[in-house]
Amino acid sequence: MSNADTAFAKLTQSELILVGSLGTEVDFDDGEILFRAGDAKIDLFVVLEGSVEIVNPADGNRLVVTHDPGAFIGDIDLLTGRPVLVTAIARGNAKTIRVPFSKIRSLLNRVPSFGEKLIVGFTRRREILSQTGAIGVQIVGPGHCRETNLAREFLYKNFVPFTWHAPDSALGERLTQEANAGGKSPIIRLNDQRFLIDPSLKELASASGAWQPCPDSHLQLAIIGAGPAGIAAAVYAASEGIETLLIDRMGPGGQAGGSSKIENFIGFPAGLSGAELATRGVLQMLKFGAQMAAPVGVVELKPAATSNGPITLTLDCGSTLSADVVLIATGVHWRRLEAIGASRFEGAGIHYVCTSVEAHLYDGQDVAVVGSGNSAGQAVMYLAECCTSRTVHLFVRGRFGNGMSEYLSNRIRNTSNVRIHEQSQITSVHGTKHIDEIEFQSSEIAATLATRLSCAAVFAFIGAEPSCDWLPESIAKDANGYLQTGIDVLRSGSWPLVDRDPCALETSIPGVLAAGDIRSGSTKRVGFAVGDGSLAVTCTHKLISIRSQST
């Protein structure tokens, strides 16, 4: 089926009957508004008679689509509860089934075939709407501005539609003049036409509708880190009735969210981007009732004071919450590029992710990738394929192919606009407002001879370090700083309890689990992280059961 077919699939007669059992029939006169752009937690409408037009206020109320009988209305925001981007107008005295927002999740779970149509349709509709280029938040700022790119990354990760404009573009100049920003950037125009000037992430999240109230209650499972392990755990936990909250400093995706294409994840033979994987996972967890809070960081984790007591998390939004079980899935971060001048261009020429947000800044310009693993290989192929007129230089400290999947290394070798530099490393980065050149040394040429290349950006994927410096110092780690779990905790002598052994993913702090890349001994692949997230739910059930038996 085409994108249009899946985006606007009609309900069958049996599906309409089931949907009707959870909703009520509501009539609208011609021209009456069902909901307006900016409304949050809107109800679900299914058209029975007449039609409903969807118009885009950000594009002069241009018609997006007309929904005829059998069609359902809405997109991703029906599940997230965020303010919608479009307005719905009845045409021809429309008759609809109206399902309250509070019952949408129940509907998805009670009518599986409709749930599948709805989630696939939501995703495709957002893609189609985004392709218009006149939707959502407008960002004006230099392509080589760190703050501008941070705002773009946040909106991208949290699937908030936006359009970026260079300051010297026609619309960029007009918005700059309207905002009267005094030379500051980025300039952000919201859907309601208000302007933000160089906002913090929390200000941007709140104003764009991505922010949910900071949680401060007790729950069964708190998951810290919204990468594949954390999202998988949230999906399985929520589907099994565990009260679940997912927390992340930036937004869903984790390290995998920075991948342009993942091809070795089961069930997706054509591959999918890290952002697509994260979006689908988040929609699944929302469908089952999990909650998410971002951008939220954990300032402090306090272990339970007693064997039956809760674990306490202090959040950087000012709230404190408690949980029966905490899952740490904060993954790893890439080591910074150790080259002279590199720190000046971080986020503005030096990047540690590679998505369309970053890649399109350098269309027609040569770029460099540093690293020898799959993340580096995926970045090379994406950069080479999205702009065939550029040369992509790949720098590898050792021999190319070690640590990379064979299918990927073979593809890179056969790509004409990729140049591989083995046993080489970038030593310095040159430029004024942006990167112009890089300097590198290769042991194949001469240890002391440096070579310069024209280059507009460097994408670095070199060595990973665990993101756990915020945890109590007492938590057991291996020699490389990764969290020990299960049998490793027992062997290290760090397990404090005598009445039971730790679960397979339990750290040296009872009730605190670790999954994914941050766990000692884990395989650093998306599929393994998802498996860890699933296993974490089994551990959670066991720990909740132990807790209930002892109270």
Side-chain angles (χ1 to χ4, degrees):
M1 297 178 71
S2 69
N3 272 1
D5 291 333
T6 55
F8 305 108
K10 299 290 184 69
L11 302 190
T12 65
Q13 190 61 39
S14 60
E15 288 169 343
L16 286 171
I17 293 171
L18 290 169
V19 172
S21 67
L22 284 175
T24 56
E25 288 192 7
V26 180
D27 294 333
F28 292 92
D29 295 333
D30 184 54
E32 191 172 353
I33 303 295
L34 283 71
F35 57 80
R36 296 181 185 277
D39 289 346
K41 296 185 177 181
I42 65 168
D43 298 335
L44 169 68
F45 294 91
V46 178
V47 181
L48 294 177
E49 297 177 9
S51 62
V52 175
E53 290 182 349
I54 303 299
V55 299
N56 181 9
D59 193 18
N61 284 323
R62 180 177 296 181
L63 179 67
V64 176
V65 68
T66 299
H67 290 298
D68 296 317
F72 56 89
I73 301 170
D75 75 346
I76 287 175
D77 293 326
L78 262 180
L79 285 180
T80 65
R82 296 175 181 176
V84 294
L85 301 166
V86 294
T87 295
I89 306 172
R91 292 301 180 206
N93 300 317
K95 180 186 291 292
T96 69
I97 300 173
R98 182 175 195 161
V99 180
F101 176 80
S102 61
K103 292 186 177 180
I104 293 175
R105 183 167 63 86
S106 176
L107 172 63
L108 296 181
N109 293 321
R110 284 180 58 178
V111 190
S113 62
F114 177 54
E116 181 180 355
K117 284 182 180 178
L118 210 68
I119 289 178
V120 172
F122 286 170
T123 306
R124 295 288 180 261
R125 289 177 185 185
R126 179 57 60 86
E127 290 173 358
I128 292 170
L129 199 56
S130 297
Q131 289 167 2
T132 66
I135 179 176
V137 173
Q138 307 290 317
I139 300 180
V140 180
H144 302 286
C145 169
R146 183 177 312 181
E147 290 73 22
T148 298
N149 289 329
L150 182 63
R152 295 171 71 215
E153 180 185 358
F154 172 78
L155 296 175
Y156 177 78
K157 278 200 164 189
N158 289 277
F159 34 90
V160 176
F162 70 92
T163 307
W164 169 69
H165 307 282
D168 57 356
S169 66
L171 186 53
E173 288 181 348
R174 180 168 67 80
L175 292 176
T176 299
Q177 189 173 23
E178 289 180 15
N180 192 24
K184 295 181 179 180
S185 61
I187 298 166
I188 297 174
R189 189 176 71 175
L190 304 169
N191 293 326
D192 60 7
Q193 309 304 306
R194 288 183 297 130
F195 283 98
L196 298 178
I197 310 299
D198 189 20
S200 68
L201 286 187
K202 282 188 172 56
E203 290 171 334
L204 179 57
S206 178
S208 65
W211 177 253
Q212 301 293 330
C214 206
D216 58 2
S217 58
H218 178 83
L219 58 151
Q220 291 177 300
L221 175 62
I223 302 170
I224 307 169
I231 292 175
V235 169
Y236 287 113
S239 71
E240 295 175 16
I242 297 174
E243 187 182 18
T244 304
L245 171 69
L246 181 61
I247 301 169
D248 197 273
R249 286 183 179 275
M250 176 64 75
Q255 190 182 28
S259 295
S260 51
K261 196 170 190 180
I262 301 168
E263 293 187 80
N264 58 355
F265 186 58
I266 188 169
F268 295 92
L272 77 169
S273 71
E276 288 177 302
L277 180 63
T279 300
R280 295 181 189 202
V282 169
L283 290 179
Q284 279 182 292
M285 60 169 257
L286 292 175
K287 166 187 171 181
F288 291 122
Q291 303 175 65
M292 181 166 179
V296 175
V298 179
V299 176
E300 183 181 18
L301 181 152
K302 286 185 179 180
T306 65
S307 59
N308 298 326
I311 299 155
T312 304
L313 300 175
T314 302
L315 309 181
D316 63 5
C317 58
S319 293
T320 299
L321 62 85
S322 60
D324 296 332
V325 180
V326 171
L327 171 61
I328 301 168
T330 46
V332 298
H333 55 266
W334 296 112
R335 293 193 183 105
R336 279 357 194 192
L337 182 68
E338 294 182 0
I340 298 170
S343 61
R344 291 176 49 219
F345 298 102
E346 283 200 8
I350 304 292
H351 301 283
Y352 299 94
V353 296
C354 181
T355 67
S356 59
V357 172
E358 297 80 27
H360 292 166
L361 293 172
Y362 309 103
D363 281 347
Q365 298 173 286
D366 293 353
V367 296
V369 176
V370 183
S372 58
N374 275 11
S375 293
Q378 290 158 355
V380 167
M381 289 308 306
Y382 181 65
L383 291 164
E385 291 174 347
C386 72
C387 182
T388 56
S389 63
R390 68 156 63 105
T391 297
V392 180
H393 297 273
L394 173 60
F395 292 89
V396 181
R397 282 182 179 269
R399 290 296 179 185
F400 174 66
N402 295 336
M404 187 181 295
S405 296
E406 185 177 8
Y407 81 90
L408 193 53
S409 60
N410 287 339
R411 189 177 300 166
I412 290 172
R413 287 190 180 97
N414 293 319
T415 302
S416 60
N417 61 329
V418 174
R419 183 178 174 188
I420 302 168
H421 303 269
E422 293 186 306
Q423 296 182 311
S424 302
Q425 57 183 319
I426 296 174
T427 55
S428 60
V429 179
H430 303 276
T432 51
K433 293 184 178 180
H434 52 81
I435 297 174
D436 295 317
E437 291 182 322
I438 58 172
E439 196 169 335
F440 72 96
Q441 289 184 341
S442 172
S443 60
E444 292 188 333
I445 301 174
T448 59
L449 181 63
T451 303
R452 285 201 175 203
L453 280 175
S454 175
C455 181
V458 179
F459 297 83
F461 304 90
I462 45 173
E465 296 179 342
S467 301
C468 56
D469 53 355
W470 54 276
L471 287 166
E473 293 184 5
S474 60
I475 196 167
K477 303 175 184 177
D478 66 16
N480 295 314
Y482 292 87
L483 300 183
Q484 291 183 328
T485 57
I487 190 66
D488 290 337
V489 170
L490 277 178
R491 288 172 177 168
S492 70
S494 304
W495 182 244
L497 303 183
V498 294
D499 57 337
R500 70 172 179 87
D501 290 342
C503 293
L505 297 182
E506 198 166 9
T507 68
S508 60
I509 301 177
V512 177
L513 312 176
D517 289 357
I518 199 170
R519 184 174 67 82
S520 177
S522 66
T523 301
K524 314 309 183 195
R525 291 286 189 272
V526 171
F528 285 92
V530 170
D532 259 15
S534 307
L535 179 57
V537 178
T538 300
C539 292
T540 299
H541 277 300
K542 181 177 179 180
L543 294 173
I544 291 175
S545 176
I546 291 171
R547 180 185 176 90
S548 63
Q549 291 171 9
S550 59
T551 55

